[in-house]
Structure formats: structure tokens, C-alpha cells
Amino acid sequence: MHPASIASRYGRKRGLLRHYAHLARYLLGSYESLKKVDWSRVERLVFICKGNICRSPYAEAKARAMGLPCSSFGLEPGVNSPANASAIRVARTRGVDLTQHRARAAGNFSITNGDLLTVMEPWHVAVLRSRPMAVGVQVTLLGLWCNPKRPHLEDPYGLSDEYFGTCYDTIDKAIETMSALRDKANANPQLQ
């Protein structure tokens, strides 16, 4: 694969390797529990990434623009950091404004049992599960809700605008699917 193609589709070689390693794990059933979401219980989508300055703020802003109750936080954010400059620039080209965003930390975020914690990478799941949470909180990987599946969405921090676009395309597709599933469950609760 050409280096420019790797950079635009996976961010970097390490992103390519992580993508295919986690895709294989997905195909072997390792993430099956993360696909078992009771959409009728989802009151709020909570998007989570490492720093809450690139992926999760975009997901929050996109979901909010679609009328979905949502929020976001980071597992290792800088206190009150603004969105990354590249994130702001690329989001703006997609009609999403991140200029007012400030990073929130997991420790300062109140998780409730109607939340669907939606993470970008499998290691985020392990971190969340190691912390105390409200009973009944559901966790999923964002990339399981788009086609093609992308169980690992490499952090775009410091990478090309083209890769930011790839991340945001994945996020857009996943949120559209999640919104449709939530709407369907709320319209027909007996289907769950």
C-alpha cells in the first residue's frame, strides 16, 4: 500500500496495523458484547476518546446537530484544553463548529444509567470497565456502527487533514446508524 494511502486512510503505519488487528478480533467475535446495545434504554450518547480534543468533540457536535442528546469526555485530557486546530479546521469544512469546545475529563463527568458510552478504540473499553460506573451503563465501539466496520479509529492528533476527514467520515456514518437504531427502538420498544 502506498504511504500516502496509508496516511489518508489509517493515519500512519501503526494505525493500519491496529486497524487490521482489531478488525480480525471483531471478525472472530471478540467485540460481540459491544454490539449488544439496548437502544430503547439509550437516553444520551457519550463520546469518549483519549484527549477530548479531536474525535469525541466532533462526534458530540455532529450528534447535537442531528438533535441527539449527547456529550463527550476524554480519558487523558488536558484540563479545559480547546479542540485541536486541525480538528477545528476540518470540522469547519463539514459545517461543524468546534471553536467553543473545551476538553472534559472522565473524573469530572457524571455518567448515568441511560448513557451509551461510545469509544473510539478498544483500549478505551478496558479503561472504562476498570472504573466504577452506574449500574446498567452500556459501552460500545463507535466503529462497529458503520460500514465498513472500523473497531479501531486511530487518534488523528498530529496527523494529516485527510486522515481527520477519514475519522470524521467514520464518525458521521456511525452516528447516522446509531440515531436510526435509537429512533426505531423508541418507535417500537417491543422490537428490543
Side-chain angles (χ1 to χ4, degrees), residues 55-109:
R55 295 168 291 180
S56 59
Y58 176 82
E60 177 185 4
K62 183 68 175 186
R64 183 164 285 115
M66 293 173 64
L68 297 168
C70 60
S71 194
S72 68
F73 67 83
L75 296 173
E76 300 174 8
V79 177
N80 217 22
S81 298
N84 172 269
S86 294
I88 291 170
R89 184 175 53 254
V90 175
R92 185 178 296 125
T93 68
R94 303 167 78 86
V96 175
D97 181 12
L98 298 180
T99 57
Q100 299 304 309
H101 175 79
R102 294 297 176 264
R104 291 180 289 274
N108 299 331
F109 191 88

Side-chain angles (χ1 to χ4, degrees), residues 30-186:
S30 294
Y31 303 129
E32 202 56 38
S33 67
L34 300 173
K35 284 282 289 187
K36 294 180 180 174
V37 173
D38 180 351
W39 292 101
S40 66
R41 290 181 33 230
V42 177
E43 295 174 14
R44 178 174 66 167
L45 298 173
V46 180
F47 300 100
I48 303 159
C49 66
K50 181 178 179 182
N52 194 223
I53 60 171
C54 296
R55 295 168 291 180
S56 59
Y58 176 82
E60 177 185 4
K62 183 68 175 186
R64 183 164 285 115
M66 293 173 64
L68 297 168
C70 60
S71 194
S72 68
F73 67 83
L75 296 173
E76 300 174 8
V79 177
N80 217 22
S81 298
N84 172 269
S86 294
I88 291 170
R89 184 175 53 254
V90 175
R92 185 178 296 125
T93 68
R94 303 167 78 86
V96 175
D97 181 12
L98 298 180
T99 57
Q100 299 304 309
H101 175 79
R102 294 297 176 264
R104 291 180 289 274
N108 299 331
F109 191 88
S110 179
I111 297 171
T112 65
N113 64 5
D115 288 341
L116 175 59
L117 305 183
T118 306
V119 301
M120 307 295 164
E121 300 178 50
W123 74 267
H124 300 157
V125 175
V127 170
L128 288 174
R129 288 185 172 160
S130 73
R131 297 177 179 187
M133 285 192 287
V135 174
V137 171
Q138 300 179 88
V139 179
T140 192
L141 279 166
L142 177 126
L144 299 181
W145 302 103
C146 62
N147 283 313
K149 301 296 183 226
R150 205 162 176 139
H152 173 85
L153 187 58
E154 184 76 9
D155 189 347
Y157 182 80
L159 300 177
S160 71
D161 283 5
E162 291 79 15
Y163 181 65
F164 267 91
T166 297
C167 281
Y168 292 172
D169 285 343
T170 300
I171 291 167
D172 289 352
K173 291 174 192 172
I175 292 173
E176 288 169 13
T177 299
M178 295 167 85
S179 177
L181 290 167
R182 184 176 175 272
D183 289 348
K184 183 177 178 181
N186 289 332

